[in-house]
Amino acid sequence: DGGITQSPKYLFRKEGQNVTLSCEQNLNHDAMYWYRQDPGQGLRLIYYSQIVNDFQKGDIAEGYSVSREKKESFPLTVTSAQKNPTAFYLCASIGSGGANYGYTFGSGTRLTVV
Amino acid sequence: KQEVTQIPAALSVPEGENLVLNCSFTDSAIYNLQWFRQDPGKGLTSLLLIQSSQREQTSGRLNASLDKSSGRSTLYIAASQPGDSATYLCAVSLSGSRLTFGEGTQLTVNP
């Protein structure tokens, strides 16, 4: 089945440590997105990429970094500069047919600082 | 800046009741609007996508309407079931790319 795979499902980060969240899709979608969700809140956009080797900052990019070396993959690194990283992280993609087909989301990664 | 508001924040209804969830947005120049369902600790599942030129979309017991001029959308759920219990999120896109989300309505359907 086509879809988006996020890993790991749960991730624990120590203070001052960088961690990388994986997002892989086999939908042949061009555009991919990273959102952050905090308890009781809607999703906020961190970074997005509309094509390989190109990406743009979203509303809350500080303390995060991304790469898009392959169409299928859009990993997110949470750096030590992100002071409040505990949250639920969701990856999404949208097809080249534009927004006509809507978004597809992964199942998320829950990151906790220990 | 686009802002999306969902009312109510939480709703509890008995099984079998018809219900309406509301979504409003401040910038009416949207490209499309999408309703999602989120179960606890899970990702988002797309329910309905309405293009800016459309007035409504239907899928099974779900019907979503869009009134761009007033900046409003409603999600109508007919004959609610306990399995409908989840958080429902509304999101709008201005460009067909990035989405702006509301904070969601947490729905509980009691048997």
Side-chain angles (χ1 to χ4, degrees):
Chain A
D1 286 325
I4 297 178
T5 301
Q6 289 188 241
S7 63
K9 187 172 183 179
Y10 299 97
L11 187 59
F12 298 91
R13 192 194 93 167
K14 296 180 180 179
E15 293 284 349
Q17 188 179 45
N18 293 354
V19 292
T20 298
L21 284 60
S22 171
C23 177
E24 303 278 335
Q25 54 100 356
N26 60 3
L27 299 166
N28 199 33
H29 285 176
D30 290 316
M32 298 185 73
Y33 304 79
W34 274 106
Y35 288 89
R36 168 180 172 144
Q37 186 177 34
D38 293 284
Q41 297 188 30
L43 280 68
R44 293 181 291 169
L45 182 64
I46 305 172
Y47 266 100
Y48 63 106
S49 168
Q50 294 183 302
I51 196 169
V52 174
N53 292 323
D54 186 51
F55 48 83
Q56 287 79 40
K57 293 182 178 179
D59 299 322
I60 55 166
E62 184 175 353
Y64 300 97
S65 65
V66 295
S67 62
R68 187 83 186 279
E69 298 177 0
K70 299 186 301 181
K71 188 175 185 178
E72 302 79 17
S73 179
F74 190 41
L76 173 74
T77 296
V78 184
T79 74
S80 57
Q82 172 50 240
K83 299 307 178 187
N84 184 25
T86 295
F88 190 48
Y89 291 86
L90 288 159
C91 178
S93 70
I94 190 167
S96 58
N100 291 325
Y101 304 116
Y103 272 55
T104 300
F105 276 84
S107 57
T109 293
R110 187 165 299 279
L111 174 63
T112 303
V113 174
V114 297
Chain B
K1 180 184 175 185
Q2 177 76 272
E3 293 183 359
V4 180
T5 303
Q6 292 187 244
I7 295 174
L11 182 63
S12 181
V13 301
E15 181 177 3
E17 189 163 301
N18 300 327
L19 58 98
V20 174
L21 307 181
N22 297 291
C23 173
S24 62
F25 45 93
T26 54
D27 188 341
S28 62
I30 63 169
Y31 187 86
N32 61 34
L33 181 146
Q34 198 162 356
W35 283 93
F36 296 89
R37 168 186 173 137
Q38 185 177 31
D39 293 290
K42 305 293 185 182
L44 275 64
T45 299
S46 178
L47 297 174
L48 291 165
L49 170 69
I50 309 177
Q51 299 297 339
S52 61
S53 60
Q54 297 174 323
R55 298 283 293 183
E56 66 177 344
Q57 283 284 347
T58 299
S59 176
R61 295 182 294 108
L62 304 179
N63 176 275
S65 67
L66 174 64
D67 184 344
K68 269 184 57 177
S69 60
S70 66
R72 295 183 181 181
S73 175
T74 62
L75 179 66
Y76 175 82
I77 303 177
S80 58
Q81 304 170 357
D84 294 330
S85 298
T87 296
Y88 291 81
L89 293 160
C90 168
V92 299
S93 173
L94 292 177
S95 62
S97 177
R98 51 187 296 170
L99 290 173
T100 300
F101 283 84
E103 295 185 355
T105 294
Q106 186 174 355
L107 173 65
T108 302
V109 181
N110 301 301

